[in-house]
Amino acid sequence: MAFFRPRVSREAEVRYHADLEISKRYPELLGRAREAEQVLRDLRAADADEIELRAAGRALDKELTEALRAAEAGQRAAFGVKSYDDRIARRKAKATPKGAMWTMEVEQLRTLREENRMWGIPRVPRPVPSAR
């Protein structure tokens, strides 16, 4: 008597197709992040005040986060539907050229986002309430 296990769960298939749809927007989101980075660089070159730099830095953080989410979805989709249920399949998929490419993209975006969070968003002192 043989016991057969289904190849993948229905939940894994649904998540896989959702990740495919999300990852289709990756080039657009990456372009928007590049534009936000250019705006921040232009403001720095123009010696803008800290409030403008803070707004541009936060906008860049938002765009990098969206691009990172799309890249992570692309990474999961590149690993294949089996990798949603099986950690060994996920590890094997990371070693493929496509999996390694997506992993590198995700790591670079995380590094850019963390660098922006540490150094790109200036701290602005909070206004002190006046005593009457």
Side-chain angles (χ1 to χ4, degrees), residues 64 74 91 130-131:
L64 283 173
R91 283 194 53 146
S130 61

Side-chain angles (χ1 to χ4, degrees), residues 66-120:
E66 291 298 318
L68 179 61
R69 286 182 182 151
E72 288 171 341
Q75 179 187 33
R76 289 189 301 267
F79 290 170
V81 74
K82 249 179 123 174
S83 69
Y84 287 88
D85 291 335
D86 187 10
R87 67 179 179 85
I88 294 173
R90 192 167 36 251
R91 283 194 53 146
K92 285 182 179 181
K94 273 189 180 181
T96 63
K98 194 172 182 180
M101 187 263 317
W102 275 109
T103 302
M104 185 179 70
E105 286 286 324
V106 167
E107 288 175 3
Q108 286 177 346
L109 282 172
R110 278 189 186 138
T111 302
L112 284 172
R113 186 179 69 168
E114 291 303 315
E115 181 179 323
N116 180 54
R117 285 182 175 177
M118 290 178 72
W119 309 111

Side-chain angles (χ1 to χ4, degrees), residues 56-66 113 116-117 121:
R58 293 191 64 172
L60 176 59
D61 181 62
K62 181 180 158 239
E63 297 299 334
L64 283 173
T65 301
E66 291 298 318
R113 186 179 69 168
N116 180 54
R117 285 182 175 177
I121 303 174

